[in-house]
Amino acid sequence: MHRTRATEQTQARGRGGRVAPLLRSLTFTATFSAACTLLAGVGGCGRSDAGQVAEEAASAAPSSGATTEVAAAVASAAPSGAAEDEPPPQAAGTPAVVDLSGVATPPPPAPEGSARLGIKALSVRAYARPTASSKVVGYLRAGAVVALESAESAGTEGCSGGWRKLKPHGYVCVGKEATLSLDDEIVRAASRRPDVTQKLPYMYGVVTRGGPAYARLPGEADLKRFEPGLKKHLAKWEKDKVSGAGYGLDVWQRWADKPAPPALEALEQKLTEGVPWYLQGGRQVPNLSGLVKSAEDVRIDEVSRRNGVAFVDSFLHEGRRYNVSTDLRVAPADRFRPIRGSDFHGWEIGKEIDFPFALIRRPGGKTWRLDGKKLVEAGDLAWRSAVPLTGKQQFFGGKLHYETKDGAWVDDRHAGRIDAAKKMPAWGKNGEKWLDINLTKQVLVAYEGTKAVYATLISSGEAGLADHEGTTATRKGIFRIHTKHVSITMDSDTVGEEFELRDVPYVQYFQDGYALHGAYWHDSFGRPKSHGCINLAPEDARRIFWWTEPQVPPGWHGAARSLTGTVVFVHP
């Protein structure tokens, strides 16, 4: 079975609530070296432990197959405004956290001296009213410090510590998961927030050599006990050209104050630099993961070759580099291949490209020129480029070709022609934002009302246009985004397809377990690649996540709104 889980592992497992949908998208297809292809073809949709908000919201969200009757019904129904327990709309004029050009304007932190709340569990629900029986309107992550309307309790129903009202909306229970004390160890240790200024919110690595995860820095005796093959492992790591000592140090240096020496030089000199305060003097990490069972614990977990992990810190201890995961596990960096993610992203329509144009979705394409009545090869066609067209098209040799503005021709086997919507749906006429996703062309076009503003390539389900029931095809229909997470964990325990990917970025659920989300594990955008979800390049996922509704409030990690989220129209 495949599932997504809230990124707090212990909370998800402990509650055992199989209530939020899982993503059908996990096709871990990147080949990380010639000798080692990790997790090719894993994934699937079903149910998960991510939290009940997705299911609650999905039950109220418009959804359909691509039938004319249902499409017409949804098209004619404009949002009726926020229903009871729905969060209020974002204030007009609020700048986007990230705009469609990629420029970030991070919201300011909660003001010093104001009433504030610290989050000390990896995933904490915010409710519409001061009771857990009300609707979930969002999620907060450990280390977040968020502004309150007041430090005074708003009630104690089911919460002995008292509910506190957040700005701009929602209530959180003070107790095991949230605190008014900003000196709490977990709040301080997990203070690194997702970085919205870059395409990926954290540092990422995929395990290439399985090994332990620690609660404290291991000593010599610990290394002999928990990593008996360490000498042999480091020898292989030193020689590995694509996943070893010489690769990707810049990824681990993302938030470093100064450049680090080469990995082998640091190891030889046994350098110690940048050890976090909570690990100094032999201390254990604060138990955010829930895996620390006693004060004597050193090794608390294992990472395997089917794991992807997000990190918030990286440092040197006695020459070896260690990384700290989002749930404060400590893992040797030499067990991971640093992940940069695809550099691809789309185009702003009207600023960088105008209709009609073609997006080149496959490599190996050519441009052609007419020589009499025949086409002759004129050059190579850059994969994933945008090519302005004249609008003229013609068949040559039985294949459809499009004329480019410079007088050449490109064929539709490699190029997908993109035009404005021919018949504007009701939600566009009503001025709503919406996403037009064409599965045949593997293209997403974002609209603000009737105006197209962004276009990019996607990777939808591997089964193409087949029925989504029982296959890896993407579900077709008209939906609304109802739940968003800055990141969420996906995993599978299906035999032969076991994996766990922490903090998959910028996840937007629109129906059951189907979602748009960033994929850092492959770079095949423009071709079907997922197990049903809409895979986006990390930068596209970042831009579109902050453009769509519902908006994620400052300091939050996710948001939910069942009736007024951005329309997603998925069609052949």
Side-chain angles (χ1 to χ4, degrees):
M1 168 176 173
H2 307 266
R3 57 184 182 268
T4 61
R5 291 188 281 110
T7 43
E8 189 211 340
Q9 307 305 312
T10 55
Q11 180 191 52
R13 289 170 178 155
R15 288 177 176 163
R18 310 178 60 73
V19 286
L22 75 103
L23 301 180
R24 290 183 67 100
S25 57
L26 272 284
T27 309
F28 201 104
T29 53
T31 302
F32 292 109
S33 71
C36 179
T37 301
L38 293 179
L39 301 183
V42 300
C45 272
R47 305 183 66 79
S48 77
D49 304 321
Q52 72 184 48
V53 63
E55 184 172 84
E56 292 173 342
S59 67
S63 63
S64 73
T67 64
T68 302
E69 294 82 4
V70 178
V74 177
S76 65
S80 58
E84 183 180 3
D85 282 358
E86 289 294 321
Q90 182 172 327
T94 303
V97 174
V98 178
D99 66 23
L100 288 177
S101 70
V103 174
T105 308
E112 293 283 343
S114 65
R116 293 177 292 168
L117 186 73
I119 304 302
K120 56 180 182 176
L122 200 56
S123 183
V124 175
R125 294 171 179 174
Y127 294 89
R129 292 180 283 113
T131 170
S133 64
S134 66
K135 181 173 290 186
V136 178
V137 294
Y139 297 95
L140 295 94
R141 167 165 284 202
V145 175
V146 293
L148 298 174
E149 291 285 355
S150 170
E152 299 301 317
S153 172
T156 58
E157 181 182 335
C159 175
S160 60
W163 295 92
R164 299 304 190 277
K165 186 174 183 181
L166 309 176
K167 288 183 177 181
H169 62 268
Y171 295 83
V172 167
C173 176
V174 170
K176 292 182 179 180
E177 297 183 336
T179 177
L180 297 174
S181 173
L182 304 187
D183 290 329
D184 180 90
E185 278 203 340
I186 288 180
V187 175
R188 293 171 57 211
S191 60
R192 175 82 67 195
R193 312 317 307 139
D195 183 359
V196 300
T197 68
Q198 303 296 316
K199 63 187 178 185
L200 290 170
Y202 301 108
M203 301 181 293
Y204 286 81
V206 173
V207 179
T208 53
R209 306 162 184 87
Y214 294 110
R216 59 162 50 94
L217 293 175
E220 185 175 348
D222 299 317
L223 293 174
K224 288 180 179 179
R225 178 183 176 187
F226 299 120
E227 301 184 68
L230 180 58
K231 185 175 181 180
K232 183 178 179 180
H233 157 72
L234 290 176
K236 289 183 177 179
W237 172 71
E238 179 179 347
K239 297 176 182 178
D240 189 338
K241 300 299 183 183
V242 297
S243 186
Y247 178 81
L249 182 59
D250 58 297
V251 174
W252 308 143
Q253 285 275 283
R254 178 166 176 170
W255 295 301
D257 294 329
K258 61 179 182 178
L264 294 180
E265 181 180 315
L267 193 62
E268 181 180 357
Q269 296 178 12
K270 295 188 177 298
L271 293 177
T272 295
E273 291 181 351
V275 177
W277 61 267
Y278 50 83
L279 284 168
Q280 294 176 10
R283 296 178 61 179
Q284 281 184 330
V285 294
N287 193 18
L288 178 58
S289 69
L291 298 171
V292 181
K293 304 304 181 184
S294 76
E296 288 71 41
D297 282 351
V298 178
R299 173 196 165 279
I300 55 172
D301 200 9
E302 290 286 326
V303 294
S304 77
R305 287 182 56 201
R306 295 182 182 271
N307 287 175
V309 181
F311 300 107
V312 293
D313 208 346
S314 185
F315 60 91
L316 291 170
H317 173 65
E318 295 182 352
R320 196 179 188 192
R321 181 166 293 279
Y322 292 86
N323 292 344
V324 180
S325 67
T326 54
D327 62 352
L328 303 183
R329 294 174 300 153
V330 180
D334 47 70
R335 301 283 179 182
F336 295 83
R337 173 180 170 83
I339 297 297
R340 294 190 175 96
S342 174
D343 286 328
F344 169 73
H345 62 77
W347 298 263
E348 289 188 272
I349 299 173
K351 295 181 180 180
E352 298 173 296
I353 196 74
D354 284 299
F355 293 125
F357 59 91
L359 298 184
I360 311 306
R361 61 179 181 266
R362 293 176 55 191
K366 303 290 183 180
T367 59
W368 307 87
R369 293 195 179 275
L370 274 174
D371 183 6
K373 295 184 178 181
K374 294 183 179 181
L375 290 180
V376 295
E377 185 178 322
D380 294 323
L381 191 58
W383 179 33
R384 295 197 302 218
S385 60
V387 180
L389 302 177
T390 64
K392 183 179 179 181
Q393 57 189 49
Q394 187 173 336
F395 282 90
F396 295 100
K399 300 180 179 65
L400 182 63
H401 288 69
Y402 308 116
E403 186 182 41
T404 69
K405 284 195 172 180
D406 63 0
W409 293 84
V410 296
D411 72 77
D412 73 341
R413 293 174 301 172
H414 296 86
R417 175 173 168 168
I418 313 301
D419 295 273
K422 294 180 180 178
K423 185 176 181 180
M424 190 57 57
W427 55 80
K429 294 176 182 178
N430 291 338
E432 288 193 65
K433 292 179 178 179
W434 60 287
L435 297 173
D436 184 4
I437 297 174
N438 186 306
L439 300 178
T440 301
K441 296 180 179 180
Q442 292 291 286
V443 164
L444 175 153
V445 179
Y447 284 83
E448 293 177 354
T450 60
K451 180 183 178 183
V453 294
Y454 196 79
T456 193
L457 294 167
I458 64 166
S459 287
S460 63
E462 288 179 315
L465 301 181
D467 188 341
H468 69 276
E469 294 288 349
T471 76
T472 59
T474 297
R475 183 167 181 169
K476 297 176 282 292
I478 302 166
F479 316 98
R480 285 190 182 275
I481 294 170
H482 57 72
T483 307
K484 296 167 63 171
H485 299 272
V486 173
S487 65
I488 195 170
T489 290
M490 304 177 185
D491 66 4
S492 166
D493 55 16
T494 297
V495 176
E497 295 185 353
E498 301 88 349
F499 67 85
E500 181 178 80
L501 301 176
R502 302 286 180 107
D503 289 296
V504 172
Y506 299 122
V507 178
Q508 305 186 68
Y509 291 103
F510 56 83
Q511 173 66 21
D512 299 329
Y514 295 88
L516 300 103
H517 66 80
Y520 59 81
W521 51 88
H522 77 77
D523 194 9
S524 298
F525 308 102
R527 292 176 288 175
K529 206 67 176 175
S530 83
H531 275 216
C533 277
I534 306 296
N535 283 189
L536 297 167
E539 177 63 12
D540 283 330
R542 182 180 78 107
R543 297 183 187 189
I544 293 169
F545 181 91
W546 295 109
W547 176 82
T548 59
E549 299 293 336
Q551 289 293 315
V552 177
W556 293 32
H557 203 72
R561 180 178 292 152
S562 58
L563 301 176
T564 57
T566 297
V567 170
V568 179
F569 178 31
V570 184
H571 59 91

